[in-house]
Each structure stands twice: as C-alpha cells, then as structure tokens.
Amino acid sequence: MKNSLKEKIEEMRDWLVEIRRTIHMYPELGFEEVETAKLVGIWLEKFGLEVKTGIAKTGVVGLLRGERPGKTVAIRADMDALPMEEASQIPYASKIKGKMHACGHDAHVAILLGVAKFFSSNPEQVKGNIKWIFQPAEEGGGGGRIMVEEGVLENPKVDAIFGAHVYPQIPIGTVGICEREALAAADRFTIKVMGKSGHAASPHLAKDPILAAGHLITQLHSIISRNVNPLESAVITIGKVQGGTAFNIIPDEVELLGTLRTLSSSLREALKARIEEVTRGTARSFGMDYQFNFEYGYPVLVNDPEMTRLVASACAKGIGDEHVKNLGLSLGAEDFAYYLEKAPGSFFRLGIGNEAKGIVHPYHSSLFDIDEDVLPFGVEMFVRIIDQFLGLELTK
Ligand code: NI
C-alpha cells in the first residue's frame, strides 16, 4: 500500500504544478482572492465535496463526509499574495504588476487541492469527516480570525486541525515540527505624551514632552528586565519616535510607536497593562497627560503536543524519523493561531530548500520560489496525517 500511495500521489504531479503555477501567475492580495477562490471552488465541486464560498469575503470550505462515522479533521491553506514585484524571470512569474506569491501560499492551495483529489477518489475508505479550509488574508489581514468567527470549525465540529507552511530553511523532503509555542503574538502600540509647547529658553513656562518621552523610553525597557521571568522571552521595541519641529521650540506632544512580542497570552496581557501603567506614571511625574492605544496582532501560536507528535509519527512513516526536524520557536507570527485557540492541532513546516535548484531565497524576497517537489510531498504528508488521525489505515 505504501508504494501505491506514493505512486498515486505522484500521478497528480503535473496537475499540482499547473494549479500552483496558475495561482502564482495571477496573485491576489488579502480579501481580494476572487479568482483563486473560484478555482478552488470549481475543483472542490468537481471532487464532489460540499462546498461553501464567500466565508470571510473570499474564503472557501469543502467538506467530505465519510461513509462510516468517525472524527472530523480540518486542514487549512491561506490564499493571499503580497504587494511586491517579482524579480525573477521564471516562465510562470507573476503577470500582475506589484503583486507576488512570495510566501508560498500558492503551493499551500495546490497541496490542499491535491489532498482533496486523493480522498475524493476513495470516499469509501473515509470514516469521519474531512474539512478543507481555504482562507483569505493571512498576511496581516487576519482572515483566519474571521473564518473562525464565521464558524468554519463548527458543523461538523472540528476535532483537530492541521496547517503547514513551506519553509526554505530546511531541505526539500523534510518536515519541521515544534511541540508547543511555535510563533509569537505580535502587537502594536502607540503612545502620545502630551505636554505644553513653549520657548526653548523658558522651559518653566512649558511642559516638555521630549524630556518625558526620553524618560519613558528608558522606563519601558525596564519592564522586560524587571517584570518578565528571566526564563521566559518577550520583546518591547520602540521603533518610531516623533515630536518637535525646531531647535528652539518645546513641542506640544511626542508620539512613540512600538511593538510587543510575547509567547504566552498571560504575559501578553500583563505586559500590555504594564506598558500603560509605566506610561501613566511617567507622564504624571512630569505633570502631563498621555494617550495609549494598543492594537492586538496575531495571538501566540500554540501547537498541541499530542497532535504535533501525531504529525511527526505520521510523516516519519513516509520519510523516516531522520527527516522530521524539531524546530525551535520563532518570533514571527501566523494567523493559524486563531484556529488553534479553538481546536487542538499542529502547524508544521514543509522543507523547500534546494541549493542545486537555486531555491535559497527567504520569504517575502522578490526572488522567492519553491522546489515544486514539495507539492506531491506535501499532499503525501497531509494524507498520512489525516489517515492516522481518522484511523483509516490507508498507508500501512
Ligand atoms: Ni506565509
């Protein structure tokens, strides 16, 4: 059965490549994935799945109900591209000016369609349900959050969810896993320190927000060193300071822009509160007012350890333990985190690195490309994970 699984998936290769290249040539930005969603919907219908479109604007969900009862497993792909110009001369380079699939989401879509093709040709072997989630706007739009709010994890209720991202830092033919916290919460904040303008030579008649902002920056940095357990990680960075117009004017206000990165929701809330507290205290000590605005980004991505071990063991059956790599966590962010807040699951990486083929460029590089061997490879890994989770024993 093992060989026939690989062979069966290998037969899809040209079809997978064509789908991926079509999407690659016509990239669409977040919430504008109209043509991509149409292509996804057409194939899912052809495969005989129950299809819902227009979720979170352009999202698509497909459902395969197995002939025997069992659990429900979901897999997810993101569909959006990036607002940037593709620099390489590959024949399937982007035909849309200023838009490019530089994060491999085109491959994610093709891989999930391959999994749909595989299982829909063997519906009698499926027990339980398989749900395919194609979401818009992973790149900053939080499409995943809206998909969850619109109920994609219900009816039937999802017992586990899996998602993957192509990953240039590990070689083609390998899978990367991370058992618990894998990616950070990434939030933004803006602070306005509001003083009173006046002449530089008469500071006693003004309230100098530049001096207060200087103190505040130093105070904010004490939060990480004094309020965070040294065995945990967090970052506060002030990335922008804006205030003042001339050497002899004390301005009315200074604005600070910063980011908070944390790896647990409790620390995230604690540090958010602490940033405001320190701002309030510092502003008060100078007799000033302040404004504090905190914008939540994606939450911490926390993999379920048991589901991650399932990914590792299912993939290892196809590629051997030595090709399943334990990756450390990263302070990047992913909106797959929203699904994992509601259902156990795991987010893993599919290696695409291949120096011989020139596949060496990082995400969001204008030269980014994938080793297309990852298309059948990714299909096989998802098939194995679903097989193991639903207990189908297709790949024994
Ligand atoms: Ni991405």
Side-chain angles (χ1 to χ4, degrees):
M1 197 69 197
K2 194 170 175 180
N3 283 336
S4 72
L5 169 77
K6 269 197 206 299
E7 278 162 23
K8 199 164 172 203
I9 293 172
E10 195 52 42
E11 281 168 15
M12 296 182 198
R13 175 183 286 264
D14 293 347
W15 176 80
L16 288 167
V17 167
E18 197 192 318
I19 286 188
R20 181 260 162 166
R21 290 188 180 187
T22 302
I23 299 171
H24 193 86
M25 284 190 282
Y26 300 98
E28 297 173 299
L29 302 183
F31 298 119
E32 296 171 4
E33 305 92 335
V34 176
E35 294 304 319
T36 311
K38 205 184 279 175
L39 180 146
V40 167
I42 287 170
W43 280 110
L44 295 183
E45 299 256 358
K46 239 182 233 184
F47 297 147
L49 306 192
E50 289 174 28
V51 182
K52 275 194 198 146
T53 58
I55 307 169
K57 269 195 179 166
T58 48
V60 183
V61 173
L63 178 68
L64 176 67
R65 291 183 198 270
E67 292 179 7
R68 290 169 289 155
K71 291 185 279 189
T72 297
V73 62
I75 55 176
R76 166 274 205 175
D78 39 14
M79 303 189 288
D80 55 324
L82 288 156
M84 57 188 285
E85 201 65 33
E86 181 151 14
S88 79
Q89 302 297 319
I90 47 175
Y92 50 90
S94 171
K95 294 193 183 300
I96 311 289
K97 229 185 142 27
K99 297 178 189 175
M100 175 189 175
H101 269 289
C103 203
H105 299 186
D106 48 349
H108 303 162
V109 173
I111 289 170
L112 254 66
L113 285 176
V115 180
K117 190 179 171 89
F118 179 88
F119 281 107
S120 62
S121 61
N122 300 280
E124 72 289 347
Q125 288 174 307
V126 177
K127 67 175 179 189
N129 308 303
I130 309 173
K131 203 182 260 192
W132 281 261
I133 298 174
F134 294 86
Q135 71 154 80
E138 193 287 320
E139 299 283 359
R145 179 178 54 78
I146 307 172
M147 295 291 280
V148 171
E149 284 169 4
E150 295 194 11
V152 298
L153 297 178
E154 306 298 324
N155 299 320
K157 191 171 169 50
V158 166
D159 296 303
I161 181 160
F162 299 94
H165 206 296
V166 295
Y167 195 54
Q169 280 102 308
I170 55 173
I172 183 75
T174 60
V175 162
I177 56 160
C178 186
E179 260 196 22
R180 292 175 185 276
E181 290 81 5
L183 291 156
D187 307 316
R188 256 182 225 211
F189 59 87
T190 308
I191 295 169
K192 256 188 207 165
V193 182
M194 294 139 89
K196 196 171 112 192
S197 54
H199 196 287
S202 308
H204 60 296
L205 300 177
K207 285 181 182 172
D208 183 358
I210 289 190
L211 178 63
H215 278 264
L216 177 56
I217 292 169
T218 314
Q219 297 290 350
L220 288 173
H221 282 283
S222 74
I223 295 175
I224 299 294
S225 79
R226 300 295 91 176
N227 299 128
V228 178
N229 178 339
L231 299 177
E232 280 187 74
S233 299
V235 174
I236 293 173
T237 291
I238 303 293
K240 187 174 172 188
V241 180
Q242 200 169 333
T245 52
F247 75 98
N248 58 352
I249 301 168
I250 292 171
D252 275 315
E253 59 182 43
V254 171
E255 190 175 68
L256 309 177
L257 252 71
T259 182
L260 170 66
R261 306 271 163 141
T262 47
L263 292 164
S264 76
S265 47
S266 57
L267 190 57
R268 184 191 205 188
E269 290 307 317
L271 293 192
K272 176 195 170 199
R274 198 66 196 121
I275 292 170
E276 177 158 22
E277 236 168 58
V278 167
T279 302
R280 187 186 314 127
T282 309
R284 290 276 151 80
S285 76
F286 286 93
M288 291 178 201
D289 258 341
Y290 73 96
Q291 275 175 9
F292 176 69
N293 180 37
F294 191 88
E295 245 178 87
Y296 284 99
Y298 296 167
V300 191
L301 186 144
V302 188
N303 283 326
D304 180 88
E306 195 188 328
M307 292 300 117
T308 306
R309 287 194 288 272
L310 185 145
V311 168
S313 91
C315 295
K317 280 181 199 155
I319 58 179
D321 282 327
E322 68 279 20
H323 293 118
V324 179
K325 317 243 178 234
N326 259 302
L327 302 177
L329 50 84
S330 136
L331 290 185
E334 234 294 338
D335 82 350
F336 192 72
Y338 291 111
Y339 302 94
L340 291 176
E341 286 185 330
K342 302 281 181 211
S346 195
F347 186 71
F348 60 99
R349 319 289 184 124
L350 295 164
I352 52 166
N354 190 337
E355 268 185 51
K357 291 187 185 170
I359 308 295
V360 293
H361 301 288
Y363 297 145
H364 300 204
S365 154
S366 58
L367 292 169
F368 179 84
D369 197 4
I370 62 163
D371 181 340
E372 287 175 330
D373 283 350
V374 78
L375 303 172
F377 178 80
V379 173
E380 184 191 339
M381 295 305 110
F382 271 109
V383 166
R384 288 182 179 281
I385 290 164
I386 291 170
D387 175 58
Q388 189 159 327
F389 183 77
L390 296 180
L392 308 181
E393 304 187 345
L394 288 181
T395 60
K396 263 199 169 166

